[in-house]
Amino acid sequence: MPAPDSLTTSAHAAFVAGLPKAEIHVHHVGSASPRIVSELAARHPGTVPSDLDALRDFYTFRDFGHFIEVYLAVVDLLREPEDIRLLTYEVAVELAAQNVRYAELTLTPWTSVQAGVPIQAYVEAVEDARVAAERDHGVRMRWIYDIPGESGLPSAEDTLGFALDHAPETLIGFGLGGPEVGVDRPQFKDVFDQARAAGLRSVPHAGETTGPQTVWDAIQVLGAERIGHGTSSVQDPALVEYLVEHQIPLEVCPTSNIATRAVDVLEHHPIIQMYDAGVNVTVNSDDPPMFGTSLNREYEIVAELLDLDERGIADLAKKAVAATFMPDADKAALAQEIDDYTARSTATS
């Protein structure tokens, strides 16, 4: 199987580029393009280089732990509400350029609040950018508040407070990110219970750098409605059977898994086994500029891995739409847009 770089000229690139899409696993800070990181690093000199060539080296990860170190260094650049507003708007611009119509963007407000940005100012910044992006580029965004797992229960309790006391109406989900090793999912049960009771949807990361028990914990203890990554699920046939039976969506991000060494090579990526088994897999980009990818590129890679034709790619895009937390009428409208686009494209090919 080719390495990711050789898959960027997929035969389906033009189709993927024009395909209307939903993105359901993409991180706010992790979507900061080199141009934006460079601008922020120039504003706030320190550990992150502002030179674009140096940034490329900075984004070369030794392992998942090193990725987290780099990620947190970029987080530290968001020191003012205007930094957050700039990043949020530019993320939306990048999404719109890929024909992403709707995105559920994972935010980690706790880290910005720790850096001195009041939660009220944080919310105002992301909401101002969201409204402007929808007006200017037609992309709709909704928010998932993410617990930084490495910071433990205090960060979880604070994040819950942000969600319950300061959240905009556009907050729809509650997640858990950061490293999985040494961060047991059950410790967050009470926090997730309260978030779910308030109407937020449970979308924790699980089974990326740990085994299938983490996925079981996310489902059985945290009430997960979707799983971030979940790639180790293939190690447990009973879990695969459960995922197929209940059609719990997995938010799969192939290039991310290679970059963080969660998966060794693409030819071994578990999405192949999961797809063949009937697991409800969706295609996502995670932290695209940090991994040198985009949502379009991830679709091209998955099309190669799964040997999909254009209708197969469109079906994957519709799975992502179905896995969103949009109202049913909005899901139906976007699915129809995908069908119409596919019919036009296949009629002329």
Side-chain angles (χ1 to χ4, degrees):
M1 183 62 61
D5 285 345
S6 65
L7 292 174
T8 57
T9 55
S10 162
H12 298 303
F15 177 80
V16 168
L19 179 67
K21 291 177 282 292
E23 165 76 282
I24 61 174
H25 187 117
V26 61
H27 291 267
H28 183 221
V29 174
S31 296
S33 69
R35 176 175 59 83
I36 297 305
V37 173
S38 175
E39 183 174 336
L40 292 171
R43 288 185 188 182
H44 309 295
T47 58
V48 180
S50 58
D51 178 77
L52 288 175
D53 288 334
L55 268 176
R56 278 189 282 273
D57 292 336
F58 188 70
Y59 279 173
T60 301
F61 309 116
R62 295 188 298 271
D63 51 31
F64 189 84
H66 182 231
F67 161 69
I68 293 295
E69 290 178 25
V70 171
Y71 188 94
L72 293 177
V74 177
V75 167
D76 188 53
L77 298 176
L78 301 174
R79 301 180 188 178
E80 306 290 340
E82 184 51 41
D83 299 333
I84 295 164
R85 184 179 291 107
L86 170 68
L87 169 62
T88 309
Y89 185 85
E90 292 298 331
V91 169
V93 170
E94 293 289 335
L95 290 168
Q98 297 178 83
N99 277 308
V100 174
R101 303 287 197 261
Y102 172 84
E104 293 175 356
L105 195 68
T106 294
L107 309 179
T108 312
W110 188 83
T111 51
S112 291
V113 172
Q114 291 296 299
V117 179
I119 186 60
Q120 297 89 340
Y122 181 94
V123 170
E124 182 180 345
V126 297
E127 278 292 283
D128 181 71
R130 178 191 65 79
V131 171
E134 185 166 347
R135 178 195 67 220
D136 298 344
H137 300 283
V139 59
R140 288 177 292 159
M141 295 190 295
R142 296 296 182 265
W143 314 125
I144 295 167
Y145 277 5
D146 190 48
I147 299 167
E150 69 277 5
S151 298
L153 281 175
S155 71
E157 291 162 355
D158 286 350
T159 302
L160 177 66
F162 302 152
L164 299 184
D165 301 332
H166 302 287
E169 291 184 359
T170 44
L171 178 67
I172 58 171
F174 199 75
L176 171 60
E180 294 176 7
V181 176
V183 184
D184 293 338
R185 270 49 196 153
Q187 68 180 303
F188 301 105
K189 180 182 187 304
D190 289 345
V191 173
F192 270 82
D193 285 348
Q194 292 180 66
R196 292 164 61 208
L200 297 177
R201 317 300 285 267
S202 175
V203 286
H205 290 49
E208 179 185 12
T209 56
T210 55
Q213 184 58 48
T214 312
V215 180
W216 281 119
D217 288 342
I219 295 168
Q220 296 173 337
V221 181
L222 305 184
E225 297 179 62
R226 293 195 316 241
I227 297 291
H229 298 286
T231 45
S232 68
S233 300
V234 294
Q235 299 170 19
D236 183 348
L239 177 56
V240 171
E241 184 178 343
Y242 185 92
L243 292 170
V244 172
E245 179 184 356
H246 295 275
Q247 284 298 288
I248 298 172
L250 300 190
E251 305 157 358
V252 183
C253 313
T255 296
S256 166
N257 300 147
I258 300 298
T260 62
R261 310 297 193 265
V263 175
D264 55 358
V265 292
L266 273 177
E267 65 180 342
H268 297 155
H269 199 286
I271 193 173
I272 302 168
Q273 293 171 260
M274 295 190 294
Y275 181 84
D276 289 345
V279 174
N280 185 2
V281 295
T282 65
V283 178
N284 304 278
S285 63
D286 203 9
D287 304 287
M290 289 188 172
F291 300 135
T293 192
S294 65
L295 183 60
N296 284 352
R297 185 181 176 200
E298 295 305 283
Y299 269 91
E300 293 177 40
I301 289 171
V302 171
E304 233 6 80
L305 289 173
L306 303 181
D307 193 24
L308 299 177
D309 61 12
E310 292 179 349
R311 293 189 185 279
I313 297 168
D315 285 344
L316 275 183
K318 289 168 67 176
K319 283 180 178 290
V321 171
T324 70
F325 299 128
M326 281 194 290
D328 287 344
D330 292 347
K331 290 184 183 183
L334 184 47
Q336 186 61 55
E337 189 178 353
I338 292 170
D339 283 340
D340 292 346
Y341 170 80
T342 305
R344 292 194 303 273
S345 296
T346 54
T348 58
S349 60

